């Protein structure tokens, strides 16, 4: 059974004036149907304002559909009684690391979710230990988040979600505010969690390089899913991506240009090694 | 300069004081402040200073850190000293010049006021240096639980306080950045009349407020995503139980208080 499934999801923001009359509506998500199996690593790509965050917020009931349905592990998000189960099942990591860390001590922040869920004290500590271990931040457990790098702060935020024992983690541009090394650190952590713990990952990003290892990619634009498929399938259509104002990874772009110039290459090359291999053949 | 606020920030070292129950530390701070107002002679103030220095010693927080925390209130201190110095009447008069009169009670009052203020700030700082905001929140929440009967939202107030403490350094950092950005564009915060300088603060405060609101929205969403729904049904990582250390601390606290009262009465 799918861990996350959306059926013809539509979401409209409405702006109202002082008299509560609707001034305008923005259709941020338009007829999106996703189906994500447990353990998958999914990437969602799209330019600014394409509706990625709005989709993400539907997946753990921070926003409710205007029409259509969202199922999280079999629970309908519109079903108020499952609200906290849904948020626990589908944890969420946000873009700005500073604005999602609640406590001034790392381990206390990691325990915040389980505390809210009413987990017994001893169990909270076990979960905190395990989650910090899983993201490799055990050494910093007594530190203040102030003294951590951006990448480390995001790993703490991920640990905070892990401590809630989710089946699925949604990361909304977790690397957008980080430097390249912090970005690598966070993506590496997420991949490890996906592979060793079997957590379903939905990674929202506009950095192509971060998506090459995903199982599947959804490309959204103006709230509509424009492309979907494996990274290879998606990136082999470099022209389509450019139409959607997205840039393909540099190697892929180079391979495409070479192919156009008459070099015999397979489509959708994703890594430098692959290109080198194909050229030396 | 805006960046190094130390006031109210947790100082992470291991010490017996760090391990005390936050309720104990809250009541100790409260009673210590009361004792500063009971005190009315040099012996009392000596005792209060000695007690605080001892506590600081035990806390293993460097004294330097406390002095840094005092810097922002230096102006306040100076002004209140001057007021006391010039405006307290009485005999004997030490200096009389034009409209200014300095009397012996004035000098004494000014010194007491300064000592009181410094000890008060340092005493409360000691509490925040040795207690994490979360633990402070827990302490307040449990210690003031009885107020719930009067419909005081104890949990919410405590949570707000803890979040405010968490965001002080972030916002201070941001204010610093905005100030530098404005200075790079020619804003002048250092010169001019008070009115001019106050006006120069406006372009600093507006972006700061906007950003604070944005952060607040983000934080609220993040808290909701992590299942926060108020105090009901919440468990604690650090459930509060008094230990033997707390009992000893209470004993010392009451002994200290008794001594201060004694010194006031007999001297
Ligand atoms: N609170 C809101 N009120 C009105 N319109 C909104 C609101 N939030 C988002 N929108 C609009 O919805 C659309 C989708 O926004 P969304 O934030 O989901 O995009 P995004 O893909 O996450 O963009 P980004 O890359 O900037 O994070 C945009 O056109 C945006 O202007
Ligand atoms: Mg977004």
């Amino acid at each position: 059974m799918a861990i996350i499934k959306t059926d013809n999801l539509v979401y409209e923001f409405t702006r109202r004036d002082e008299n509560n009359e609707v001034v305008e509506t923005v259709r941020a998500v338009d007829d999106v149907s996703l189906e994500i199996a447990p353990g998958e690593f999914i990437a969602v790509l799209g330019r600014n304002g394409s509706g990625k965050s709005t989709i993400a917020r539907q997946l753990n009931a921070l926003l409710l559909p205007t029409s259509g349905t969202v199922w999280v592990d079999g629970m309908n998000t519109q079903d108020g009684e499952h609200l906290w189960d849904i948020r626990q099942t589908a944890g969420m990591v946000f873009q700005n690391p500073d604005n999602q860390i609640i406590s001034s001590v790392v381990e206390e922040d990691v325990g915040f979710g389980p505390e809210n869920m009413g987990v017994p004290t001893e169990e909270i500590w076990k979960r905190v230990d395990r989650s910090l271990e899983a993201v490799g931040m055990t050494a910093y457990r007594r530190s203040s988040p102030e003294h951590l790098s951006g990448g480390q702060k995001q790993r703490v935020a991920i640990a905070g979600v892990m401590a809630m024992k989710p089946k699925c983690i949604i990361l909304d541009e977790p690397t957008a505010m980080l430097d390249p090394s912090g970005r690598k650190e966070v993506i590496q952590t997420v991949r490890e969690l996906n592979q060793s713990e079997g957590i379903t990952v939905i990674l929202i990003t506009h950095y192509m390089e971060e998506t090459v290892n995903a199982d599947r990619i959804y490309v959204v634009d103006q709230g509509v899913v424009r492309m979907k498929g494996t990274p290879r399938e998606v990136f082999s259509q470099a022209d389509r991506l450019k139409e959607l104002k997205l840039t393909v990874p540099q190697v892929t772009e180079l391979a495409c240009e070479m192919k156009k110039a008459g070099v015999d290459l397979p489509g959708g090359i994703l890594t430098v090694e692959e290109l080198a291999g194909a050229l030396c053949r | 300069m805006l960046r190094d606020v130390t006031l109210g920030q947790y100082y992470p070292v291991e010490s017996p004081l760090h391990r005390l129950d936050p309720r104990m530390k809250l009541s100790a701070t409260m009673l210590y402040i009361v004792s500063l107002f009971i005190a009315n002679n040099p012996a009392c103030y000596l005792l209060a200073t000695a007690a605080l220095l001892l506590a600081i010693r035990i806390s293993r927080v460097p004294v330097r850190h406390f002095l840094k925390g005092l810097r922002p209130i230096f102006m306040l201190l100076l002004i209140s000293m001057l007021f006391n110095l010039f405006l307290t009447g009485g005999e004997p008069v030490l200096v009389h010049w034009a409209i200014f009169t300095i009397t012996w009670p004035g000098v004494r009052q000014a010194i007491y006021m300064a000592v009181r203020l410094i000890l008060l700030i340092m005493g409360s700082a000691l509490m925040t240096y040795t207690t994490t905001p979360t633990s402070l929140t827990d302490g307040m929440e449990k210690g003031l639980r009885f107020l719930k009967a009067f419909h005081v939202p104890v949990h919410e107030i405590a949570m707000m306080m803890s979040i405010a403490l968490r965001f002080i350094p972030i916002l201070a950092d941001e204010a610093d950045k905005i100030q530098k950005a404005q200075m790079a564009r020619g804003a002048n915060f250092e010169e001019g009349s008070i009115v001019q300088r106050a006006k120069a603060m406006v372009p600093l405060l507006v972006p700061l407020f906007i950003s604070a609101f944005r952060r607040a929205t983000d934080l609220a969403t993040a808290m909701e995503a992590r299942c926060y729904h108020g105090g009901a049904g919440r468990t604690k990582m650090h459930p509060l139980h008094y230990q033997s250390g707390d009992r000893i601390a209470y004993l010392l606290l009451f002994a200290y208080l008794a001594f201060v009262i004694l010194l006031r009465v007999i001297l």
Side-chain angles (χ1 to χ4, degrees), chain A residues 13 28 47-54 173:
Chain A
F13 285 104
R47 62 167 149 166
N48 282 352
S50 55
K52 307 181 296 289
S53 299
T54 313
E173 303 197 47

Side-chain angles (χ1 to χ4, degrees), chain A residues 117-188:
Chain A
M117 285 154 53
V119 175
T121 304
E122 262 173 59
E123 170 70 14
I124 297 181
W125 282 100
K126 276 190 210 148
R127 289 186 182 196
V128 169
D129 291 346
R130 274 214 57 208
S131 314
L132 283 172
E133 187 75 48
V135 300
M137 287 296 290
T138 308
Y140 298 92
R141 58 183 307 158
R142 304 285 312 154
S143 313
S144 152
E146 275 327 289
H147 303 133
L148 302 180
S149 72
Q152 288 172 328
K153 282 187 214 170
Q154 281 304 42
R155 273 151 70 196
V156 171
I158 294 172
V161 171
M162 286 298 292
M164 292 162 62
K165 294 214 167 158
K167 293 184 179 161
C168 171
I169 296 190
I170 302 150
L171 302 106
D172 188 0
E173 303 197 47
T175 57
M177 304 182 75
L178 307 182
D179 58 10
S181 76
R183 255 161 41 202
K184 215 176 269 171
E185 181 182 321
V186 169
I187 296 302
Q188 186 63 26

Side-chain angles (χ1 to χ4, degrees), chain B residues 33-178:
Chain B
I33 293 173
V34 170
S35 84
L36 291 178
F37 287 91
I38 295 177
N40 71 342
N41 60 52
C44 291
Y45 284 112
L46 268 178
L47 179 64
T49 314
L52 185 67
L53 287 178
L54 183 71
I56 290 177
R57 194 62 204 274
I58 298 174
S59 76
R60 299 183 47 207
V61 179
V63 178
R64 224 174 340 109
H65 204 66
F66 283 86
L67 298 181
K68 235 165 69 182
L70 279 177
R71 237 177 354 201
I73 62 144
F74 182 73
M75 271 316 265
L76 182 72
L77 200 67
L78 207 67
I79 291 170
S80 74
M81 270 184 87
L82 288 179
F83 266 91
N84 275 294
L85 194 61
F86 290 115
L87 298 181
T88 315
E91 294 284 320
V93 175
L94 297 179
V95 182
H96 186 84
W97 180 76
I99 52 161
F100 298 108
T101 324
I102 297 179
T103 66
W104 174 235
V107 172
R108 204 175 48 190
Q109 202 56 37
I111 293 175
Y112 283 177
M113 196 60 210
V115 173
R116 206 178 264 168
L117 209 60
I118 290 173
L119 291 181
L120 190 149
I121 300 283
M122 282 173 73
S124 355
L126 181 63
M127 177 182 70
T128 52
Y129 288 157
T130 59
T131 320
T132 66
T134 327
S135 149
L136 208 59
T137 317
D138 290 352
M140 267 185 63
E141 200 177 336
K142 196 158 176 185
L144 301 180
R145 213 171 17 177
F146 65 92
L147 286 178
K148 268 194 200 150
F150 305 101
H151 300 287
V152 178
V154 180
H155 168 81
E156 285 73 10
I157 293 176
M159 180 60 88
M160 266 158 48
M161 206 183 77
S162 131
I163 289 175
L165 283 175
R166 150 98 180 93
F167 276 84
I168 286 175
I170 295 179
L171 290 176
D173 205 48
E174 188 144 302
D176 192 59
K177 269 189 208 144
I178 297 172

Side-chain angles (χ1 to χ4, degrees), chain A residues 62 84 87 94 98-105 107-109 112 115-116 118-119 121 124-125 128 146, chain B residues 10 132-134 166-167 170 215 218-219 221-229 233-239:
Chain A
L62 285 171
W84 307 113
R87 297 218 174 131
F94 298 86
D98 281 326
N99 298 356
Q100 57 186 318
I101 295 182
I102 288 107
S103 175
S104 311
V105 179
E107 62 180 9
E108 285 180 3
D109 184 73
F112 181 74
E115 282 186 328
N116 293 334
V119 175
T121 304
I124 297 181
W125 282 100
V128 169
E146 275 327 289
Chain B
Y10 181 64
T132 66
T134 327
R166 150 98 180 93
F167 276 84
I170 295 179
R215 283 178 194 281
D218 279 7
L219 190 73
T221 314
M223 286 170 74
E224 262 190 72
R226 284 165 79 184
C227 295
Y228 179 74
H229 50 283
R234 237 177 145 244
T235 45
K236 300 275 180 199
M237 271 178 104
H238 304 276

